[in-house]
Amino acid sequence: MEPIMALVVGLMYAAAIYMMLRRSIAKLVIGLMLLSNAANLLIFTSAGMTRSAPPLIPEGAMAPEGIVADPLPQALILTAIVIAFGVLAFSVVLIHRAYEIVKTDDLDQMKETDS
């Protein structure tokens, strides 16, 4: 399963870079979303694709019983999702404001408005 996930992550990174190199600023945002999702999937895949019990310690025990899931990658992914949402919200507002002023979403035409 890990080789398939590695291929999916690679394809998502490639698609994200391709979208970020387009001239449309909307495609830039889509590429940014793909890039953050690919990074999250990479962390998830590198943590291991095994099904395990939640990392809970039973009452009176000193350690969890049996094989448990590692909570660190889950916490990293959750934090990355929140940060990616904040960056996405900021970029959408920034793009909306730039479109109101320049009346285009073409990055080359936005450069021409500089004085």
Side-chain angles (χ1 to χ4, degrees):
M1 188 68 172
E2 280 88 1
I4 294 171
M5 293 302 286
L7 182 64
V8 169
V9 168
L11 288 174
M12 285 179 72
Y13 272 117
I17 291 171
Y18 176 78
M19 292 297 281
M20 290 174 70
L21 292 176
R22 302 288 84 202
R23 288 175 34 179
S24 172
I25 200 160
K27 291 179 183 175
L28 179 93
V29 172
I30 293 171
L32 189 64
M33 288 188 325
L34 272 174
L35 188 69
S36 65
N37 287 333
N40 291 341
L41 194 58
L42 178 67
I43 294 170
F44 179 73
T45 304
S46 65
M49 301 286 290
T50 59
R51 178 172 273 175
S52 304
L56 301 174
I57 300 174
E59 191 173 331
M62 295 298 291
E65 298 172 357
I67 299 173
V68 295
D70 186 11
L72 181 64
Q74 297 171 14
L76 288 173
I77 291 171
L78 184 61
T79 304
I81 289 170
V82 171
I83 292 170
F85 180 74
V87 169
L88 176 66
F90 175 74
S91 63
V92 166
V93 170
L94 185 66
I95 288 168
H96 178 68
R97 183 71 178 142
Y99 184 78
E100 281 181 349
I101 293 171
V102 182
K103 301 288 190 237
T104 184
D105 94 344
D106 189 1
L107 290 172
D108 290 337
Q109 290 177 359
M110 283 186 178
K111 283 186 201 175
E112 294 170 2
T113 61
D114 293 340
S115 48

